[in-house]
Amino acid sequence: MDQKKAPEQKKSLRRYLISTACALLLAVLFAQIRGFSFSQPLATNLAALCDGFFVSGMLVAGLGAMIWVSTTGFFDILSYGFKNLSVLVPFHHRRKYKHFYEYKAEQAAKRSKPQFFLLVIGLIMVLIAAIFLYFSSKNPFSLKMYHTVYRPL
């Protein structure tokens, strides 16, 4: 039994490492776009890192959520509908599935177990972005820097 789990754990670890490396590369790219440079002050760099980690974390978490939802069978009705669009074309072969239930049962038999690794990595990156936000300013939850002062004429 332990021999079967070892390749699974190795595959899972490789999946996490490759996905984390890609997400970190994406975060660094977005941080560079937002102005990260070693010649900038620390607060500016932390704000750029916060932006980079937040954007890449949300992208990865969103992709992970879509993958997780697709393993639950949520999109089966859409794929069934698109596969049956070919029936509308004249001189085309008959449907493979007469009813949605048949299609759903076959897809459930093929379906793999839920995949959470991208969702976990994305949420961890959003948490890291919140830490960078906290350290990038003295009071990170005050929005003074985003408000303009209204002065009547």
Side-chain angles (χ1 to χ4, degrees):
M1 183 152 182
D2 289 333
Q3 292 174 353
K4 288 183 180 181
K5 284 190 176 184
E8 261 182 45
Q9 289 176 348
K10 197 176 207 181
K11 186 177 179 182
S12 178
L13 180 65
R14 187 178 332 137
R15 183 180 298 152
Y16 271 94
L17 289 176
I18 291 172
S19 300
T20 303
C22 291
L24 287 174
L25 184 66
L26 194 62
V28 168
L29 176 71
F30 282 122
Q32 287 285 332
I33 290 171
R34 293 293 295 160
F36 179 83
S37 174
F38 289 110
S39 62
Q40 297 291 331
L42 180 63
T44 305
N45 283 340
L46 287 175
L49 285 172
C50 172
D51 292 344
F53 272 82
F54 182 77
V55 170
S56 66
M58 290 304 287
L59 286 173
V60 171
L63 182 64
M66 292 291 284
I67 289 172
W68 171 58
V69 168
S70 72
T71 60
T72 63
F74 185 78
F75 298 118
D76 283 351
I77 189 71
L78 293 175
S79 62
Y80 176 75
F82 279 114
K83 287 182 182 188
N84 283 331
L85 280 177
S86 64
V87 174
L88 299 175
V89 177
F91 308 112
H92 195 267
H93 61 83
R94 298 176 54 100
R95 299 182 194 194
K96 183 176 179 183
Y97 307 101
K98 187 171 184 177
H99 299 287
F100 174 65
Y101 179 76
E102 297 169 0
Y103 178 77
K104 181 98 171 154
E106 184 177 310
Q107 292 300 315
K110 290 183 195 175
R111 193 168 291 121
S112 64
K113 62 182 181 178
Q115 304 288 326
F116 296 107
F117 67 98
L118 285 176
L119 184 61
V120 169
I121 291 170
L123 292 176
I124 289 172
M125 292 191 69
V126 170
L127 180 67
I128 292 170
I131 292 169
F132 283 140
L133 175 66
Y134 179 77
F135 287 114
S136 68
S137 64
K138 293 179 183 171
N139 190 1
F141 299 108
S142 85
L143 299 175
K144 291 180 183 175
M145 57 196 265
Y146 299 111
H147 291 273
T148 56
V149 178
Y150 174 71
R151 293 182 183 152
L153 296 173

